[in-house]
Amino acid sequence: MELFADKCPKTCEHFRQFCTGETKGRNALPQGFKNSKFHRVIKDFMIQGGDFLNGDGTGTTSIYGDTFADENFSLHHSAPGLLSMANSGKNTNGSQFFVTTAKTDWLDGKHVVFGRVIDGMLTIRKIENVPVVGEKKTPRIPCVITECGEM
């Protein structure tokens, strides 16, 4: 992943800290994306992860409190492989994120794009093609982030 820290420094720092696990949760233990799963997969749209609290899309937190404000909408959902914040409305960013698997321009102005996949798009495509179940589009097999960090 490449993070666009020059455009979205606050969002990128938030994501970086959850990649490294350096942020401590309310229980004083490290928290982050390691061993969390992609809980929602919609072919030709996106794969969503980042709910390391509940694992089903209902949990979220941030390094800035429960949620934080949209940083800016200067970057657009113009291609596959873009990293964007998942939210439940304006200024409700937390730990959840998604990676686009297609152009998703209807999300412009609603979700903050803050990075892109530079290596690993084949893995994204493999996750995108995992069979899903139910209305929540939950992968039938676990798609787990087994390692993450900072390079």
Side-chain angles (χ1 to χ4, degrees):
M1 295 286 187
E2 173 188 16
L3 302 181
F4 302 141
D6 58 326
K7 302 281 186 196
C8 301
K10 188 174 180 178
T11 305
C12 290
E13 179 58 17
H14 168 267
F15 187 81
R16 187 196 68 76
Q17 286 193 32
F18 284 143
C19 285
T20 63
E22 65 193 71
T23 300
K24 305 285 190 275
R26 290 185 177 101
N27 58 5
L29 295 175
Q31 64 181 0
F33 301 135
K34 186 173 182 174
N35 296 319
S36 69
K37 61 186 176 181
F38 286 93
H39 61 270
R40 186 174 178 219
V41 173
I42 303 175
K43 188 166 176 54
D44 298 320
F45 177 26
M46 60 87 191
I47 64 172
Q48 185 173 337
D51 179 3
F52 50 79
L53 297 177
N54 300 334
D56 61 3
T58 62
T60 193
T61 188
S62 89
I63 66 169
Y64 308 113
D66 289 336
T67 61
F68 67 101
D70 298 317
E71 193 161 11
N72 73 57
F73 298 116
S74 63
L75 301 170
H76 302 282
H77 298 84
S78 57
L82 294 172
L83 183 59
S84 186
M85 292 303 295
N87 62 44
S88 58
K90 185 177 181 175
N91 298 320
T92 60
N93 297 293
S95 58
Q96 293 187 46
F97 64 90
F98 62 92
V99 179
T100 61
T101 60
K103 180 180 177 180
T104 55
D105 55 350
W106 64 91
L107 300 177
D108 293 348
K110 296 177 182 143
H111 297 269
V112 175
V113 175
F114 66 98
R116 69 182 176 111
V117 175
I118 54 173
D119 186 31
M121 200 59 198
L122 180 59
T123 302
I124 301 297
R125 293 294 185 202
K126 287 180 179 182
I127 295 170
E128 177 189 24
N129 283 287
V130 168
V132 297
V133 295
E135 289 183 19
K136 290 188 174 185
K137 306 292 185 189
T138 305
R140 192 175 296 268
I141 59 173
C143 299
V144 179
I145 300 170
T146 56
E147 291 294 331
C148 60
E150 182 177 13
M151 294 174 48

